[in-house]
Amino acid sequence: MRLSIFGLGYVGSVSLGCLAKDGNQVIGVDIDPVKLGLIADGKSPVIEEGMPELIAEAVASGRVSVTDDVRQGLMQSDISFICVGTPSLSNGDQNQTAILRLTEQLGEALKEKSEHHTLVFRSTLVPGTVEKTLIPMLESISGKQDGVEFDVGYQPEFLREGSSIKDYYNPPFTIIGASNGQAHERLRELYSSLPCQYRETSIATAETMKYFCNIFHAVKITFANEVARLCDGMEVDPHEVMGLLCEDKQLNISTAYMKPGFAFGGSCLPKDLRAMQYQAKRHDIEIPMLGHVLRSNEAHLDLALQKALAWKEQHGVRKVAMLGLSFKPGTDDLRESPLVMLAEQLIGKGMQLSVYDPNVSLSRLLGANKRFIENTIPHIGELMSEELTPMIEQADIVIVGQNHRDALTTLAQRCRSDQLILDLINQPQLRELDAHYLGLSW
């Protein structure tokens, strides 16, 4: 294929070398004459093992050329990859000066091109930038329409400095957000030799994915370092602790707990966080991330309350049915349950609450949670109902906090078009019901 790469920094240079090695004709475009000169001479503009050989081989093959002319780069290719930098401004926002200037130049070049062209942005971009800013710019300047005379896509890159060539040829997946199927056809063919899945998604999802991959890496590093500081204060070997932690592939290094949902609770997570926060204070150790986990959890709980109260204010309603009370399904454990906390806050705000949880109702009869309910939350215990149908029929707001199959079936049969269903656990079937649906963060 005929490809052009705009921006010959780290990502652009690696992509140029690898795509040329794969047999494509590649033209590199940059405003820096030093980079252009180095590549033209078969030398790598970035220092990394394997790059000098990769660039030298690519240039010697005759499949690589360079220019500072944006028009030339676009005219002499069928697919363009945009890899210019998007550094931070002093206020933390993204500096999009280079990407905006280049997009304007690409729009001018598109105006003159008669053949269909595909543009793929690879620069890290704030979600929404491509569809809300860059595509409208391209259409306005070129006088052409995205999806008709040209296509636009977004491809996040996952190249680590120091192992970029290896990462290029062994990616976890190839993620492409594109405006239409024609762009996917071209890019799927281009990357067909890579040993990974080609994943189609929206442009906004692809933009966002890049950010949270990087942020997740930062969180993992920070977690390990805070563990190390705490372990050091308690005279424990942090490498042994983290080594054992990472051996657990069922919960620790896995997809467990990685799906958005409601706040956490129960008898372990909150108290163990508090215990380590106290140990940090004892030893004068700073753990900013771990120290704010509980507050972040409370913010998620607050969001559910805010959404329920907003509906109350808008519609003048007060009757709430809550499906679930224990801290997670399949247990009667109410200790530090976020649903108990939400119930208490709703009562405090004047809502008329009724609660259904078959596990907790049974435990009240058997006495497993009897003392806790009677001594700690008697006001909520009195609001529990074993009659699900009338509870749903009388409610103005139904809060789904657990996936009880019988409760969801009854809700589907008995919900009303004027009811709000507030979904805290992301149950897709609730979106199809004849009621107003509102997710917690979806």
Side-chain angles (χ1 to χ4, degrees):
M1 291 188 180
R2 298 193 309 160
L3 312 174
S4 54
I5 296 178
F6 293 86
L8 298 175
Y10 193 85
V11 173
S13 296
V14 174
S15 299
L16 178 141
C18 292
L19 288 167
K21 181 179 180 180
D22 292 342
N24 300 289
Q25 197 71 33
V26 187
I27 181 170
V29 186
D30 204 289
I31 60 174
D32 187 343
V34 175
K35 292 179 183 177
L36 298 178
L38 285 169
I39 293 175
D41 292 338
K43 299 175 182 178
S44 173
V46 299
I47 306 301
E48 182 170 306
E49 182 180 355
M51 277 297 290
E53 296 81 3
L54 179 69
I55 296 298
E57 179 184 337
V59 173
S61 72
R63 291 191 294 270
V64 169
S65 60
V66 293
T67 182
D68 62 359
D69 188 334
V70 171
R71 181 184 179 279
Q72 179 185 347
L74 187 133
M75 290 295 184
Q76 295 182 2
S77 61
D78 303 307
I79 302 175
S80 295
F81 293 93
I82 294 89
C83 307
V84 298
T86 51
S88 291
L89 294 169
S90 59
N91 64 359
D93 197 6
Q94 186 177 71
N95 186 341
Q96 297 187 341
T97 302
I99 198 81
L100 295 174
R101 182 174 60 244
L102 177 57
T103 300
E104 183 178 356
Q105 294 172 317
L106 291 169
E108 293 289 350
L110 275 175
K111 187 189 302 184
E112 302 179 36
K113 187 167 185 177
S114 56
E115 297 89 356
H116 195 95
H117 197 84
T118 299
L119 295 137
V120 181
F121 290 93
R122 300 207 71 189
S123 305
T124 302
L125 295 170
V126 174
T129 299
V130 172
E131 291 177 306
K132 296 178 182 178
T133 302
L134 303 184
I135 291 177
M137 278 185 68
L138 291 167
E139 290 182 327
S140 174
I141 295 169
S142 69
K144 297 180 178 181
Q145 186 177 350
D146 172 40
V148 181
E149 291 103 333
F150 67 92
D151 299 319
V152 174
Y154 183 84
Q155 181 189 8
E157 54 85 14
F158 302 103
L159 305 178
R160 296 170 296 172
E161 294 192 31
S163 61
S164 60
I165 299 172
K166 178 183 176 182
D167 290 344
Y168 179 90
Y169 285 110
N170 296 277
F173 38 47
T174 296
I175 296 179
I176 304 288
S179 54
N180 62 68
Q182 183 170 337
H184 281 298
E185 288 178 16
R186 282 186 163 187
L187 295 168
R188 189 183 291 276
E189 180 184 353
L190 178 63
Y191 293 116
S192 61
S193 63
L194 294 180
C196 66
Q197 282 189 316
Y198 180 101
R199 300 296 300 272
E200 297 184 15
T201 188
S202 68
I203 289 175
T205 297
E207 288 172 313
T208 307
M209 172 70 178
K210 171 60 178 174
Y211 270 95
F212 285 102
C213 282
N214 282 349
I215 290 170
F216 188 42
H217 299 328
V219 166
K220 288 184 287 185
I221 293 168
T222 302
F223 174 80
N225 288 339
E226 290 199 359
V227 167
R229 296 201 296 273
L230 272 168
C231 286
D232 184 46
M234 296 183 293
E235 299 182 350
V236 177
D237 183 351
H239 294 288
E240 186 173 4
V241 169
M242 287 303 298
L244 290 169
L245 184 148
C246 292
E247 286 185 20
D248 179 359
K249 302 299 192 293
Q250 294 184 40
L251 296 180
N252 293 343
I253 311 300
S254 72
T255 59
Y257 308 126
M258 291 297 290
K259 294 182 180 178
F262 195 39
F264 65 77
S267 61
C268 296
L269 305 188
K271 77 175 182 65
D272 290 350
L273 270 163
R274 291 191 196 99
M276 285 299 102
Q277 289 172 358
Y278 180 76
Q279 290 301 315
K281 289 178 182 178
R282 277 191 63 211
H283 297 283
D284 293 325
I285 296 168
E286 291 289 330
I287 51 167
M289 186 179 79
L290 296 179
H292 285 82
V293 171
L294 288 171
R295 179 63 198 104
S296 179
N297 198 51
E298 291 168 6
H300 215 52
L301 176 62
D302 293 343
L303 179 62
L305 178 66
Q306 292 164 13
K307 292 200 171 187
L309 294 180
W311 188 265
K312 170 195 172 187
E313 295 301 321
Q314 292 170 11
H315 300 275
V317 297
R318 295 179 61 192
K319 295 181 179 178
V320 179
M322 178 181 287
L323 307 184
L325 188 63
S326 61
F327 88 95
K328 68 177 181 179
T331 177
D332 65 354
D333 196 344
L334 298 175
R335 289 173 293 178
E336 302 215 42
S337 167
L339 291 173
V340 169
M341 298 176 197
L342 178 59
E344 290 179 324
Q345 291 175 342
L346 289 168
I347 294 170
K349 294 295 182 179
M351 305 295 266
Q352 296 177 4
L353 182 68
S354 54
V355 181
Y356 174 82
D357 189 321
N359 291 320
V360 176
S361 296
L362 180 62
S363 74
R364 291 177 69 214
L365 295 174
L366 298 177
N369 256 339
K370 188 174 182 358
R371 181 175 301 174
F372 180 86
I373 293 172
E374 292 178 349
N375 295 343
T376 309
I377 52 169
H379 49 300
I380 295 178
E382 294 169 0
L383 301 177
M384 297 201 65
S385 172
E386 296 177 29
E387 300 296 326
L388 181 60
T389 298
M391 188 180 89
I392 289 175
E393 290 178 340
Q394 296 168 17
D396 302 305
I397 301 172
V398 180
I399 298 177
V400 180
Q402 289 181 3
N403 181 9
H404 292 295
R405 185 176 301 176
D406 61 339
L408 296 185
T409 299
T410 303
L411 177 60
Q413 296 169 344
R414 299 293 182 175
C415 67
R416 306 190 312 272
S417 60
D418 63 332
Q419 281 178 321
L420 171 68
I421 296 177
L422 178 55
D423 179 11
L424 307 184
I425 55 173
N426 190 27
Q427 292 293 299
Q429 68 268 34
L430 297 178
R431 303 170 194 263
E432 309 301 323
L433 301 185
D434 184 23
H436 297 278
Y437 174 87
L438 188 61
L440 182 59
S441 299
W442 42 83

